[in-house]
Amino acid sequence: MTSETPPPSRRPRPGADARRRALGLDEGEPVAAAPAAAPAARRESLRDSLARIPDLAPDDPLLAPTPSTPAEADATEAPAAKNAAPARPTTAARKAAVGAAVGGGTAVLADPVSFTAPTSPPDEAAPRYAGGSGADPLASTAAAADPEPVVAPATARRGARTKPPLWRRIVFSIVLLGLIASIPVLGYTGYQLISDSKEGDYTGSTLSPTDPGYEAPVDPTPTAVAIQYDDQHMPVGLTFLSLAGGDGGGSVIFVPLDTEVSEPSFGVDRLRTSYEVVADRPALARERLASQVGRLLNVGVDEIIDLDNAGWEQLVAPVGPLTIDNPDQIDLGFGQVIPSGQTELPANLVGPFLAATIDGESDLNRLARHEAVWTAWLDQLESSGKAEAVPGESSAGISKFAKALASGPVTFETLPVNSVPGLIPLFRIDKEAVNQLITDTVASPTAAVPGSRFTVRLLNGVSPDGIPSDLVRQIVGRGGAVTVLGNGPQFDTDKTEIVYANPEDKDLATLMAKSIGATGKVRLDREAPDTVDLTIVLGKDVLGDATGSGQPGATTPETTAAGGN
């Protein structure tokens, strides 16, 4: 039977007297009160934490450990003085340097690895630097730093601008001078190219009308459509106007409102309905109506003139009343009756008279009364010498056309149409007769729509004399428009040559050669001017040995208009 060893007994705790003796106190001396509890430790800042980084490079004074007691500090300073090494920065200096790096302070780089921070607070007496307070930290740092020159890192020197080498500056100067010197040469070359060009504007040519190669653009014949409205602003009359140029005169063509349009569509079969379908938009309606008239005549319309009852009264008042030859007696409906035959028409009744109709009469019959009014008005303008009294600008609108028409011979025509059987009267144009009418009255027409007329550059290859107007009319009658007149590249050409740039115009060129009696070549030239469809250089086979006009220079086709030959 074994016996268990009892556990050792705990040593009794010494009493108070024993503790006093151990502390060297008398037994009767009272024990000092326990010191007050130390305040809670303050949370260490990031700056202090970084300052306690372990020694990584003992030779670096910034990274060396800081002595915690004065004795350690003296022991550290002794070898430093002995070795004449620079003073080791204190803990406060190291903290300040670290704080400058972390908190945005100022530090001067001595080399790419180490830096030196200020070791003392700025002197209050020192001058303050711009943008801050106290002494300049850079100055104090420089004083405490190593006297060796500061070397900036490579990255700090990258932004420095270096002067380009001498040879590069010389080459740049030579190139710049060459460019400046070439400006006048390029300007002169461009001017010559534009002046000698066969395309675009020909007015810049320095050639005279008697020189070979002289060319001039042809001004289109001025045209307009006058639309007369009733009190409800609905059209009751259409009149096409064209000027002859020169000494004045021109043509007045009356167009029935019930004329069939060139391309009828649903709801639009005649000129009247082309306006009515968009009558709620008057600006659009008038444009469509004038465009449809231009399509029927195959002529571009330059201007649209709006005339209502008040407008007619204003036009006629300076020379009224009008003495007209009235074909039919007209009851205007408000107690006013205009008798047939020679009668006077007051200015305030001209508009209602033109809008009045007779039951069962044809629209062509009503247009006879329109002709009577226009004839009397233009005659009285010319005889009275009051053409300047026509209201409006003299360079546009009704004023322009009235003054020009009143100053020369005028032809009055009604559009050649044929009646179409039906419940509602309808007229269809006689295309051949209309084409002849336009050829006789519009010397230099433009296309009603793009492509409706081919364009011709007509040159005299025989002499510098003018081109006969009959030849110009032939081209217009074939559906063309002469846009350029001039002289060929040389004179005494025997055979007429027709040149085209687009292969699709071959048949057109062949047709024109037969029409004018040309016996020369009809050829394709890709480099021919693309501003016109055909270039015709007339030879003796068409013109003979001399032209009929006897006038030097390019003939203006306005002489072919009504009133001139």
Side-chain angles (χ1 to χ4, degrees):
M1 181 174 180
T2 61
S3 61
E4 293 182 1
T5 305
S9 60
R10 291 185 62 179
R11 185 178 181 178
R13 185 178 181 181
D17 294 337
R19 291 199 301 271
R20 289 192 185 97
R21 288 193 299 270
L23 293 174
L25 301 176
D26 295 337
E27 295 181 1
E29 187 177 359
V31 180
R42 183 174 59 87
R43 184 176 180 180
E44 189 177 28
S45 65
L46 177 61
R47 182 178 301 178
D48 295 339
S49 299
L50 293 175
R52 295 189 300 98
I53 296 176
D55 187 9
L56 298 179
D59 296 336
D60 190 346
L62 289 180
L63 299 180
T66 303
S68 58
T69 62
E72 294 179 4
D74 295 339
T76 304
E77 291 176 0
K82 182 179 179 179
N83 297 330
R88 183 177 181 180
T90 62
T91 304
R94 294 195 307 132
K95 290 182 178 181
V98 174
V102 175
T106 304
V108 178
L109 296 178
D111 56 63
V113 178
S114 63
F115 62 88
T116 305
T119 58
S120 61
D123 187 3
E124 294 296 335
R128 299 180 180 272
Y129 63 93
S133 61
D136 189 352
L138 296 180
S140 60
T141 303
D146 191 20
E148 295 182 2
V150 177
V151 180
T155 56
R157 300 193 301 268
R158 290 176 183 173
R161 298 182 60 182
T162 59
K163 199 171 185 180
L166 179 61
W167 68 268
R168 184 175 296 176
R169 285 180 287 165
I170 295 175
V171 172
F172 175 78
S173 301
I174 295 174
V175 173
L176 181 61
L177 291 175
L179 291 175
I180 295 175
S182 65
I183 292 176
V185 178
L186 293 175
Y188 178 77
T189 303
Y191 172 79
Q192 291 290 2
L193 290 174
I194 295 174
S195 299
D196 299 337
S197 174
K198 299 299 183 182
E199 303 179 8
D201 187 5
Y202 298 89
T203 58
S205 176
T206 58
L207 300 175
S208 70
T210 58
D211 293 333
Y214 172 81
E215 298 178 12
V218 177
D219 294 329
T221 300
T223 59
V225 170
I227 307 174
Q228 182 187 339
Y229 303 92
D230 60 12
D231 292 335
Q232 286 74 40
H233 202 74
M234 297 300 293
V236 293
L238 285 174
T239 307
F240 177 80
L241 308 174
S242 64
L243 302 182
D247 296 332
S251 301
V252 179
I253 301 175
F254 303 102
V255 181
L257 277 165
D258 289 319
T259 303
E260 185 181 38
V261 297
S262 58
E263 297 180 2
S265 59
F266 181 76
V268 179
D269 61 340
R270 62 194 70 204
L271 296 175
R272 189 188 306 275
T273 56
S274 69
Y275 184 96
E276 293 175 348
V277 294
V278 287
D280 56 335
R281 291 179 286 174
L284 175 61
R286 67 193 289 270
E287 292 284 348
R288 291 188 60 177
L289 183 56
S291 176
Q292 291 292 348
V293 173
R295 289 171 179 263
L296 288 174
L297 305 180
N298 194 16
V299 174
V301 176
D302 299 331
E303 298 186 50
I304 303 175
I305 301 172
D306 298 319
L307 297 173
D308 55 10
N309 293 346
W312 267 114
E313 182 178 358
Q314 188 177 12
L315 292 175
V316 175
V319 296
L322 298 180
T323 301
I324 65 172
D325 187 6
N326 186 19
D328 303 293
Q329 178 176 303
I330 296 296
D331 185 358
L332 300 182
F334 44 89
Q336 292 287 343
V337 177
I338 308 299
S340 61
Q342 290 286 332
T343 185
E344 288 188 350
L345 183 64
N348 64 322
L349 298 182
V350 172
F353 176 78
L354 294 174
T357 60
I358 300 175
D359 292 341
E361 75 171 342
S362 169
D363 203 26
L364 297 177
N365 190 64
R366 185 174 64 87
L367 293 181
R369 296 193 291 274
H370 283 239
E371 181 177 344
V373 169
W374 278 85
T375 301
W377 177 49
L378 293 176
D379 287 344
Q380 291 181 211
L381 275 177
E382 180 183 10
S383 61
S384 67
K386 296 181 179 180
E388 298 297 329
V390 178
E393 298 181 5
S394 60
S395 60
I398 189 60
S399 179
K400 168 186 175 181
F401 283 85
K403 293 174 183 178
L405 292 172
S407 62
V410 181
T411 60
F412 298 89
E413 299 285 347
T414 299
L415 186 68
V417 293
N418 299 315
S419 297
V420 178
L423 296 177
I424 302 177
L426 181 66
F427 303 102
R428 184 171 295 158
I429 65 169
D430 184 338
K431 292 184 179 181
E432 185 175 346
V434 169
N435 183 55
Q436 186 61 46
L437 175 63
I438 297 302
T439 301
D440 295 338
T441 58
V442 184
S444 180
T446 57
V449 294
S452 64
R453 284 186 177 272
F454 63 90
T455 55
V456 176
R457 176 168 161 247
L458 190 60
L459 308 178
N460 189 336
V462 178
S463 69
D465 294 340
I467 298 173
S469 58
D470 287 344
L471 187 58
V472 177
R473 292 176 60 185
Q474 274 187 279
I475 296 174
V476 174
R478 289 291 182 181
V482 178
T483 59
V484 179
L485 283 171
N487 302 327
Q490 60 186 10
F491 295 136
D492 294 327
T493 302
D494 293 327
K495 294 185 178 182
T496 299
E497 186 177 48
I498 300 180
V499 181
Y500 57 96
N502 189 345
E504 297 179 358
D505 293 331
K506 179 179 179 180
D507 293 340
L508 175 62
T510 303
L511 177 62
M512 285 305 306
K514 294 180 179 179
S515 299
I516 64 177
T519 60
K521 294 181 179 180
V522 176
R523 63 183 180 86
L524 171 67
D525 186 356
R526 296 285 189 178
E527 297 182 359
D530 56 1
T531 54
V532 294
D533 297 315
L534 302 178
T535 296
I536 302 177
V537 182
L538 299 172
K540 295 180 180 179
D541 56 342
V542 174
L543 296 178
D545 292 335
T547 59
S549 67
Q551 299 295 325
T555 299
T556 55
E558 280 77 1
T559 57
T560 65
N565 294 313

Coordinates of all heavy atoms in Angstrom, one line a residue, residues 200-265:
G200 N -16.6 77.3 -115.3 CA -16.9 78.3 -114.3 C -17.2 79.6 -114.9 O -17.8 79.7 -115.9
D201 N -16.7 80.7 -114.2 CA -17.0 82.0 -114.6 C -16.0 82.5 -115.7 O -14.8 82.4 -115.5 CB -16.9 83.0 -113.4 CG -17.4 84.4 -113.8 OD1 -17.9 84.6 -114.9 OD2 -17.3 85.2 -112.9
Y202 N -16.6 83.0 -116.8 CA -15.7 83.4 -117.9 C -15.4 84.8 -117.9 O -14.7 85.3 -118.8 CB -16.4 83.0 -119.3 CG -16.6 81.5 -119.4 CD1 -17.8 80.9 -119.0 CD2 -15.7 80.7 -120.0 CE1 -18.0 79.6 -119.1 CE2 -15.9 79.4 -120.2 CZ -17.0 78.8 -119.7 OH -17.3 77.4 -119.9
T203 N -16.0 85.6 -117.0 CA -15.8 87.0 -117.0 C -14.4 87.4 -116.6 O -14.0 88.6 -116.8 CB -16.8 87.7 -116.0 OG1 -16.6 87.2 -114.7 CG2 -18.2 87.4 -116.5
G204 N -13.6 86.5 -116.0 CA -12.3 86.9 -115.6 C -11.2 86.8 -116.7 O -10.1 87.1 -116.5
S205 N -11.7 86.4 -118.0 CA -10.7 86.3 -119.1 C -10.2 87.7 -119.5 O -10.9 88.7 -119.5 CB -11.4 85.6 -120.3 OG -10.5 85.6 -121.4
T206 N -8.9 87.7 -119.8 CA -8.3 89.0 -120.3 C -8.4 89.2 -121.8 O -7.9 90.2 -122.3 CB -6.9 89.1 -119.8 OG1 -6.1 87.9 -120.3 CG2 -6.8 89.0 -118.2
L207 N -9.0 88.2 -122.5 CA -9.1 88.3 -123.9 C -10.2 89.3 -124.3 O -11.1 89.5 -123.6 CB -9.4 86.9 -124.5 CG -8.4 85.8 -124.2 CD1 -8.9 84.5 -124.8 CD2 -7.0 86.1 -124.8
S208 N -10.0 89.9 -125.5 CA -11.0 90.8 -126.1 C -12.0 90.0 -126.9 O -11.7 88.9 -127.4 CB -10.3 91.9 -126.9 OG -9.8 91.3 -128.1
P209 N -13.2 90.6 -127.3 CA -14.1 89.9 -128.1 C -13.7 89.5 -129.5 O -14.3 88.6 -130.1 CB -15.3 90.9 -128.2 CG -15.2 91.7 -127.0 CD -13.7 91.8 -126.7
T210 N -12.6 90.0 -129.9 CA -12.1 89.7 -131.3 C -10.9 88.7 -131.2 O -10.4 88.3 -132.3 CB -11.5 91.0 -132.0 OG1 -10.5 91.6 -131.2 CG2 -12.7 92.0 -132.2
D211 N -10.6 88.2 -130.1 CA -9.5 87.2 -129.9 C -10.0 85.8 -130.0 O -11.1 85.5 -129.5 CB -8.7 87.4 -128.6 CG -8.0 88.7 -128.5 OD1 -7.6 89.3 -129.6 OD2 -7.8 89.3 -127.4
P212 N -9.2 84.9 -130.6 CA -9.6 83.5 -130.5 C -9.6 83.0 -129.0 O -8.8 83.4 -128.2 CB -8.5 82.8 -131.3 CG -7.9 83.8 -132.2 CD -8.0 85.1 -131.4
G213 N -10.6 82.2 -128.7 CA -10.7 81.7 -127.4 C -11.5 82.6 -126.4 O -11.7 82.2 -125.3
Y214 N -12.0 83.7 -126.9 CA -12.8 84.6 -126.0 C -14.2 83.9 -125.8 O -14.8 83.4 -126.8 CB -13.0 86.0 -126.7 CG -14.0 86.8 -126.0 CD1 -13.6 87.5 -124.8 CD2 -15.3 86.9 -126.4 CE1 -14.5 88.3 -124.1 CE2 -16.2 87.7 -125.7 CZ -15.8 88.4 -124.6 OH -16.7 89.2 -123.9
E215 N -14.6 84.0 -124.6 CA -15.9 83.4 -124.2 C -16.6 84.3 -123.2 O -15.9 84.9 -122.4 CB -15.8 82.0 -123.7 CG -15.2 81.0 -124.7 CD -15.0 79.6 -124.1 OE1 -15.6 79.3 -123.0 OE2 -14.3 78.8 -124.7
A216 N -17.9 84.3 -123.2 CA -18.7 85.0 -122.2 C -19.9 84.3 -121.9 O -20.6 83.7 -122.7 CB -19.0 86.4 -122.8
P217 N -20.3 84.3 -120.6 CA -21.6 83.7 -120.2 C -22.8 84.5 -120.7 O -22.7 85.7 -120.9 CB -21.6 83.7 -118.7 CG -20.7 84.9 -118.3 CD -19.7 85.0 -119.4
V218 N -23.9 83.8 -121.0 CA -25.1 84.4 -121.5 C -26.1 84.5 -120.3 O -26.3 83.6 -119.6 CB -25.7 83.5 -122.6 CG1 -27.1 84.1 -123.0 CG2 -24.8 83.3 -123.7
D219 N -26.5 85.8 -120.1 CA -27.5 86.0 -119.1 C -28.9 85.5 -119.5 O -29.4 85.7 -120.6 CB -27.7 87.5 -118.8 CG -26.4 88.1 -118.3 OD1 -25.7 87.4 -117.6 OD2 -26.1 89.3 -118.6
P220 N -29.5 84.7 -118.6 CA -30.8 84.1 -118.9 C -31.9 85.2 -119.1 O -31.8 86.3 -118.5 CB -31.2 83.3 -117.7 CG -29.9 83.0 -117.0 CD -29.0 84.2 -117.3
T221 N -32.9 85.0 -119.9 CA -34.0 85.9 -120.1 C -34.8 86.0 -118.8 O -35.2 85.0 -118.3 CB -34.9 85.4 -121.3 OG1 -34.1 85.4 -122.5 CG2 -36.0 86.4 -121.5
P222 N -35.0 87.3 -118.3 CA -35.8 87.4 -117.1 C -37.3 86.9 -117.3 O -37.9 87.3 -118.4 CB -35.8 88.9 -116.8 CG -34.6 89.4 -117.6 CD -34.5 88.5 -118.8
T223 N -37.8 86.2 -116.4 CA -39.2 85.6 -116.5 C -39.9 85.8 -115.2 O -39.2 85.9 -114.1 CB -39.1 84.2 -116.9 OG1 -38.4 83.4 -115.9 CG2 -38.5 84.0 -118.3
A224 N -41.2 85.8 -115.3 CA -42.0 85.9 -114.0 C -43.4 85.3 -114.3 O -43.8 85.3 -115.5 CB -42.1 87.3 -113.6
V225 N -44.1 84.9 -113.3 CA -45.5 84.5 -113.4 C -46.3 85.4 -112.4 O -46.0 85.4 -111.2 CB -45.6 83.0 -113.0 CG1 -47.1 82.7 -112.8 CG2 -45.0 82.1 -114.0
A226 N -47.2 86.1 -113.0 CA -48.1 87.0 -112.2 C -49.4 86.2 -111.9 O -50.1 85.7 -112.8 CB -48.4 88.3 -113.0
I227 N -49.7 86.1 -110.6 CA -50.9 85.4 -110.2 C -51.9 86.4 -109.6 O -51.6 87.2 -108.7 CB -50.6 84.4 -109.1 CG1 -49.5 83.4 -109.5 CG2 -51.8 83.6 -108.7 CD1 -49.0 82.4 -108.5
Q228 N -53.1 86.4 -110.2 CA -54.1 87.3 -109.7 C -55.1 86.6 -108.8 O -55.5 85.5 -109.1 CB -54.9 88.0 -110.8 CG -56.0 89.0 -110.4 CD -56.9 89.4 -111.5 OE1 -56.5 89.3 -112.7 NE2 -58.0 89.9 -111.2
Y229 N -55.5 87.2 -107.6 CA -56.3 86.6 -106.6 C -57.6 87.4 -106.5 O -57.7 88.6 -106.7 CB -55.6 86.5 -105.3 CG -54.3 85.8 -105.3 CD1 -53.1 86.6 -105.5 CD2 -54.2 84.5 -105.1 CE1 -51.9 85.9 -105.5 CE2 -53.0 83.8 -105.1 CZ -51.8 84.6 -105.3 OH -50.6 83.9 -105.3
D230 N -58.7 86.7 -106.1 CA -59.9 87.3 -105.7 C -59.9 87.7 -104.2 O -58.9 87.6 -103.6 CB -61.1 86.4 -106.1 CG -61.1 85.1 -105.4 OD1 -60.3 84.9 -104.4 OD2 -61.9 84.2 -105.7
D231 N -61.1 88.1 -103.7 CA -61.2 88.5 -102.3 C -61.0 87.4 -101.4 O -60.6 87.6 -100.2 CB -62.6 89.2 -102.1 CG -62.7 90.5 -102.8 OD1 -61.7 91.1 -103.1 OD2 -63.9 90.9 -103.1
Q232 N -61.2 86.1 -101.8 CA -60.9 84.9 -101.0 C -59.5 84.4 -101.2 O -59.2 83.3 -100.7 CB -61.9 83.8 -101.3 CG -63.3 84.1 -100.8 CD -64.0 85.1 -101.6 OE1 -63.9 85.2 -102.8 NE2 -64.8 86.0 -100.9
H233 N -58.7 85.2 -101.8 CA -57.3 84.8 -102.1 C -57.2 83.5 -102.9 O -56.3 82.7 -102.6 CB -56.5 84.7 -100.8 CG -55.0 84.9 -101.1 ND1 -54.4 86.1 -101.4 CD2 -54.0 84.0 -101.1 CE1 -53.1 86.0 -101.5 NE2 -52.8 84.7 -101.4
M234 N -58.1 83.3 -103.8 CA -58.0 82.2 -104.7 C -57.6 82.7 -106.1 O -58.0 83.8 -106.5 CB -59.3 81.4 -104.8 CG -59.7 80.8 -103.5 SD -58.5 79.6 -102.8 CE -58.7 78.3 -104.1
P235 N -56.7 82.0 -106.8 CA -56.3 82.5 -108.1 C -57.4 82.6 -109.2 O -58.2 81.6 -109.3 CB -55.2 81.4 -108.5 CG -55.6 80.2 -107.8 CD -56.2 80.6 -106.5
V236 N -57.4 83.7 -109.9 CA -58.4 83.9 -111.0 C -57.7 84.2 -112.3 O -58.4 84.4 -113.3 CB -59.4 85.0 -110.6 CG1 -60.3 84.5 -109.4 CG2 -58.7 86.3 -110.3
G237 N -56.4 84.3 -112.3 CA -55.7 84.6 -113.5 C -54.2 84.2 -113.4 O -53.6 84.4 -112.3
L238 N -53.6 83.8 -114.5 CA -52.2 83.5 -114.6 C -51.6 84.2 -115.8 O -52.2 84.1 -116.9 CB -52.0 82.0 -114.7 CG -52.1 81.2 -113.4 CD1 -52.0 79.7 -113.8 CD2 -51.1 81.6 -112.4
T239 N -50.5 84.9 -115.7 CA -49.9 85.6 -116.8 C -48.4 85.4 -116.7 O -47.8 85.6 -115.7 CB -50.2 87.1 -116.7 OG1 -51.6 87.3 -116.6 CG2 -49.7 87.8 -118.0
F240 N -47.8 84.9 -117.8 CA -46.4 84.6 -117.9 C -45.7 85.8 -118.6 O -46.2 86.2 -119.7 CB -46.1 83.3 -118.7 CG -44.6 83.1 -118.9 CD1 -43.9 82.5 -117.9 CD2 -44.0 83.4 -120.1 CE1 -42.5 82.3 -118.0 CE2 -42.7 83.1 -120.3 CZ -41.9 82.6 -119.2
L241 N -44.7 86.4 -118.0 CA -44.0 87.5 -118.5 C -42.6 87.2 -118.8 O -41.9 86.5 -118.0 CB -44.1 88.7 -117.5 CG -45.4 89.1 -116.9 CD1 -45.3 90.1 -115.8 CD2 -46.4 89.6 -118.0
S242 N -42.1 87.7 -119.9 CA -40.6 87.6 -120.3 C -40.2 88.9 -120.9 O -41.0 89.6 -121.6 CB -40.4 86.4 -121.2 OG -41.0 86.6 -122.5
L243 N -38.9 89.2 -120.7 CA -38.3 90.5 -121.2 C -37.4 90.2 -122.4 O -36.7 89.1 -122.4 CB -37.6 91.2 -120.1 CG -38.4 91.6 -118.9 CD1 -37.6 92.4 -117.9 CD2 -39.7 92.4 -119.2
A244 N -37.3 91.2 -123.3 CA -36.5 91.0 -124.5 C -35.1 91.5 -124.2 O -34.2 91.1 -125.0 CB -37.1 91.7 -125.6
G245 N -34.9 92.4 -123.3 CA -33.6 92.9 -123.1 C -33.3 94.1 -124.0 O -34.2 94.5 -124.8
G246 N -32.1 94.6 -124.0 CA -31.8 95.7 -124.9 C -32.6 96.9 -124.6 O -32.6 97.5 -123.5
D247 N -33.4 97.4 -125.6 CA -34.2 98.6 -125.4 C -35.5 98.4 -124.8 O -36.3 99.3 -124.7 CB -34.4 99.3 -126.8 CG -33.1 99.7 -127.4 OD1 -32.1 100.0 -126.6 OD2 -33.0 99.7 -128.7
G248 N -35.8 97.2 -124.3 CA -37.1 97.0 -123.6 C -38.0 96.1 -124.4 O -37.7 95.6 -125.5
G249 N -39.2 96.0 -123.9 CA -40.2 95.1 -124.6 C -40.1 93.7 -124.1 O -39.4 93.4 -123.2
G250 N -40.9 92.9 -124.7 CA -41.0 91.5 -124.2 C -42.3 90.8 -124.6 O -42.9 91.2 -125.7
S251 N -42.7 89.9 -123.8 CA -43.9 89.1 -124.2 C -44.8 88.9 -122.9 O -44.3 88.8 -121.8 CB -43.5 87.7 -124.7 OG -42.7 87.9 -125.9
V252 N -46.1 88.8 -123.2 CA -47.1 88.5 -122.2 C -47.9 87.4 -122.7 O -48.5 87.5 -123.7 CB -48.0 89.8 -121.9 CG1 -49.0 89.4 -120.8 CG2 -47.1 91.0 -121.5
I253 N -47.9 86.3 -121.9 CA -48.6 85.0 -122.3 C -49.7 84.7 -121.2 O -49.3 84.6 -120.0 CB -47.7 83.8 -122.5 CG1 -46.6 84.2 -123.5 CG2 -48.4 82.6 -122.8 CD1 -45.5 83.1 -123.7
F254 N -50.9 84.6 -121.6 CA -52.0 84.4 -120.7 C -52.3 82.8 -120.7 O -52.4 82.2 -121.7 CB -53.3 85.1 -121.2 CG -53.1 86.6 -121.3 CD1 -52.9 87.2 -122.5 CD2 -53.0 87.4 -120.2 CE1 -52.7 88.5 -122.7 CE2 -52.8 88.8 -120.3 CZ -52.7 89.3 -121.5
V255 N -52.3 82.3 -119.4 CA -52.4 80.9 -119.2 C -53.7 80.5 -118.6 O -54.0 81.0 -117.5 CB -51.2 80.4 -118.4 CG1 -51.3 78.9 -118.2 CG2 -49.9 80.8 -119.0
P256 N -54.6 79.7 -119.2 CA -55.8 79.3 -118.6 C -55.6 78.5 -117.3 O -54.7 77.6 -117.2 CB -56.5 78.4 -119.6 CG -55.8 78.7 -120.9 CD -54.4 79.1 -120.5
L257 N -56.3 78.7 -116.2 CA -56.2 78.0 -115.0 C -56.6 76.6 -115.1 O -56.3 75.7 -114.2 CB -57.0 78.7 -113.9 CG -56.3 79.9 -113.2 CD1 -57.3 80.7 -112.4 CD2 -55.1 79.4 -112.3
D258 N -57.4 76.2 -116.1 CA -57.9 74.9 -116.2 C -57.0 74.1 -117.2 O -57.5 73.1 -117.8 CB -59.4 74.8 -116.7 CG -60.3 75.3 -115.7 OD1 -60.1 74.9 -114.5 OD2 -61.3 76.1 -116.0
T259 N -55.8 74.5 -117.4 CA -54.8 73.8 -118.2 C -54.3 72.6 -117.5 O -54.0 72.6 -116.3 CB -53.7 74.7 -118.6 OG1 -54.2 75.8 -119.3 CG2 -52.7 73.9 -119.6
E260 N -54.3 71.4 -118.2 CA -53.8 70.2 -117.6 C -52.3 70.3 -117.2 O -51.5 70.8 -118.0 CB -54.0 69.0 -118.5 CG -53.7 67.7 -118.0 CD -53.9 66.5 -119.0 OE1 -53.6 66.8 -120.2 OE2 -54.3 65.5 -118.6
V261 N -51.9 69.8 -116.0 CA -50.5 69.9 -115.6 C -49.7 68.8 -116.4 O -50.3 67.9 -117.0 CB -50.4 69.6 -114.1 CG1 -51.1 70.7 -113.3 CG2 -51.0 68.3 -113.7
S262 N -48.4 69.0 -116.4 CA -47.5 68.1 -117.2 C -47.6 66.7 -116.6 O -47.4 65.7 -117.4 CB -46.1 68.7 -117.1 OG -45.6 68.8 -115.8
E263 N -47.7 66.5 -115.3 CA -47.8 65.1 -114.7 C -49.0 65.1 -113.8 O -48.8 65.3 -112.6 CB -46.5 64.8 -114.0 CG -45.2 64.8 -114.9 CD -43.9 64.5 -114.2 OE1 -44.0 64.3 -112.9 OE2 -42.9 64.5 -114.8
P264 N -50.1 64.8 -114.3 CA -51.3 64.7 -113.4 C -51.2 63.6 -112.4 O -50.5 62.6 -112.6 CB -52.5 64.3 -114.4 CG -52.0 64.7 -115.8 CD -50.5 64.5 -115.7
S265 N -51.7 63.9 -111.2 CA -51.7 62.9 -110.1 C -53.1 63.0 -109.4 O -54.0 63.7 -109.8 CB -50.6 63.2 -109.1 OG -50.8 64.5 -108.6

